[in-house]
Amino acid sequence: MKIILASLTFAVCLFAGGRAAQADCGNVSIAEMNWASAAIAANFDKFILENGYGCNVTTVAGDTVPTFASMDQKGEPDIAPELWTASVRTQLEAAVTSGRLVQASEILADGAIEGWWIPKFIADANPDIRSVQDALKRPDLFPAPKGASKGAIHNCPSGWSCRISTANIFKALKADNAGFELIDSGSPKDLDDSIANAFDAKIGWLGYYWAPTAILGKYEMTLLSMGASHDKAEWLACTSVEGCARPQLNAYPVSQAFTVVTKAFADRAGPELGYLRARSWDNNTINDVLAWQDENRANNEDAALYFLRNYADFWTRWVPADVAEKVKAAL
């Protein structure tokens, strides 16, 4: 009888210990990239993994190429929540194929969207304007800052690759012949201020911008069709090349960003990996959170908490009910 009781006690302890070990996912490192959407994602991942799954999480500074190289060669950090794939696509595919890295969710469900935008109030008042070609027929709606006799197309600051591509698309469209001039922004703030000023004055604005961003969380903008699909070969050969002699009309590419984890983490993670495979958010949601962060001058951790407190209907879809309750209790 004593032997049976001892065996039962041992079995119960072993079972309990196994469950405890399973509940504790151990030490996890997350790359906190140096742009806002990715940094916020790293912080809400940290909060969910710590409070929902019992992980011990640290964040480390990151950027696309060095973070990928470190994960691929050294197996650290464990997680890159928002890895932009364009600059490491070939190497990433090789690492995933060989099993060194595992690709989880496409965290930016809409991708990163570039293009020419107009205020939504202009689009609503002018339902015939849905493409850049439509907009070019109405220079009067998009007055240049220093002379309403011409329309303006606002371009990126110096040193940004979009300054080159936008100039080439302007040239391909022969926008100058349509009564427009290309306005180069002196700085990122100048570009943002030009949008803010247009909304304050309730006048039209036409130019390059991208999502996800705080500006598009503050101001409702409508993306115009380019009237062409993206031609990667043309983009590499001419659209993105400064001073290209004969650029053709080309749409901006849609960039992708994925959550990537190391093999070591994937092998030991069970439900935690399930969360990272499910976790994805759309640009409208990100834009709103970025706008709140900008308006409140909040840090990335505070912005992550803002998201978790105000978008429970959104993030609770990524985790089981019991995990969601633990996270809510910790907020």
Side-chain angles (χ1 to χ4, degrees):
M1 184 67 177
K2 289 181 180 179
I3 294 174
I4 294 173
L5 288 173
S7 299
L8 286 172
T9 301
F10 175 78
V12 168
C13 292
L14 182 63
F15 179 71
R19 286 182 61 85
Q22 185 179 16
D24 182 5
C25 80
N27 295 326
V28 180
S29 55
I30 301 179
E32 184 174 345
M33 302 301 203
N34 57 6
W35 60 93
S37 61
I40 294 169
N43 279 274
F44 71 66
D45 279 351
K46 180 178 188 292
F47 196 91
I48 288 174
L49 289 174
E50 284 186 335
N51 295 285
Y53 293 95
C55 306
N56 179 32
V57 181
T58 56
T59 57
V60 295
D63 201 352
T64 301
V65 174
T67 294
F68 167 77
S70 180
M71 293 177 72
D72 188 32
Q73 297 166 18
K74 302 176 183 177
E76 56 187 28
D78 295 303
I79 304 168
E82 188 182 304
L83 186 75
W84 290 77
T85 61
S87 59
V88 294
R89 186 180 305 279
T90 302
Q91 303 97 307
L92 176 61
E93 288 175 355
V96 170
T97 300
S98 69
R100 296 191 303 276
L101 297 177
V102 175
Q103 192 167 284
S105 70
E106 184 172 5
I107 185 169
L108 299 184
D110 303 326
I113 300 172
E114 301 176 82
W116 291 12
W117 305 71
I118 62 175
K120 185 177 181 294
F121 64 81
I122 293 290
D124 290 345
N126 299 272
D128 56 321
I129 300 179
R130 290 295 177 264
S131 69
V132 294
Q133 290 84 354
D134 297 332
L136 291 179
K137 297 173 185 176
R138 297 294 308 274
D140 58 300
L141 288 178
F142 310 102
K146 296 183 179 179
S149 61
K150 282 196 170 186
I153 295 171
H154 295 265
N155 199 358
C156 301
S158 178
W160 289 20
S161 60
C162 53
R163 182 163 178 158
I164 297 170
S165 55
T166 299
N168 281 329
I169 291 171
F170 179 94
K171 186 175 180 180
L173 286 163
K174 298 182 173 59
D176 53 345
N177 293 340
F180 281 81
E181 58 183 3
L182 189 63
I183 307 295
D184 291 329
S185 300
S187 68
K189 185 177 185 301
D190 288 340
L191 181 60
D192 290 354
D193 285 349
S194 69
I195 295 174
N197 293 337
F199 272 77
D200 288 343
K202 296 297 181 187
I203 60 174
W205 184 95
L206 171 63
Y208 172 91
Y209 218 80
W210 73 99
T213 50
I215 281 288
L216 295 186
K218 290 182 181 180
Y219 304 107
E220 287 190 281
M221 303 281 280
T222 297
L223 178 67
L224 297 177
S225 164
M226 294 303 297
S229 58
H230 175 65
D231 184 331
K232 184 178 179 180
E234 170 69 13
W235 189 274
L236 295 174
C238 182
T239 312
S240 61
V241 176
E242 188 167 13
C244 180
R246 291 181 293 276
Q248 303 300 307
L249 182 59
N250 203 351
Y252 294 87
V254 176
S255 299
Q256 293 179 293
F258 288 88
T259 297
V260 176
V261 305
T262 62
K263 181 180 184 299
F265 175 80
D267 286 346
R268 74 175 189 269
E272 299 86 8
L273 184 59
Y275 156 68
L276 294 172
R277 289 191 186 280
R279 196 250 300 103
S280 180
W281 53 350
D282 61 273
N283 282 346
N284 285 338
T285 303
I286 310 167
N287 290 341
D288 289 344
V289 176
L290 292 172
W292 178 89
Q293 181 185 35
D294 184 69
E295 290 169 359
N296 292 275
R297 299 182 180 180
N299 60 31
N300 296 319
E301 184 179 358
D302 287 341
L305 291 173
Y306 171 82
F307 168 69
L308 291 168
R309 287 169 178 151
N310 291 276
Y311 292 87
D313 290 344
F314 201 99
W315 64 262
T316 51
R317 294 176 294 182
W318 305 335
V319 297
D322 62 323
V323 172
E325 289 307 310
K326 291 177 185 176
V327 173
K328 287 179 181 179
L331 287 171

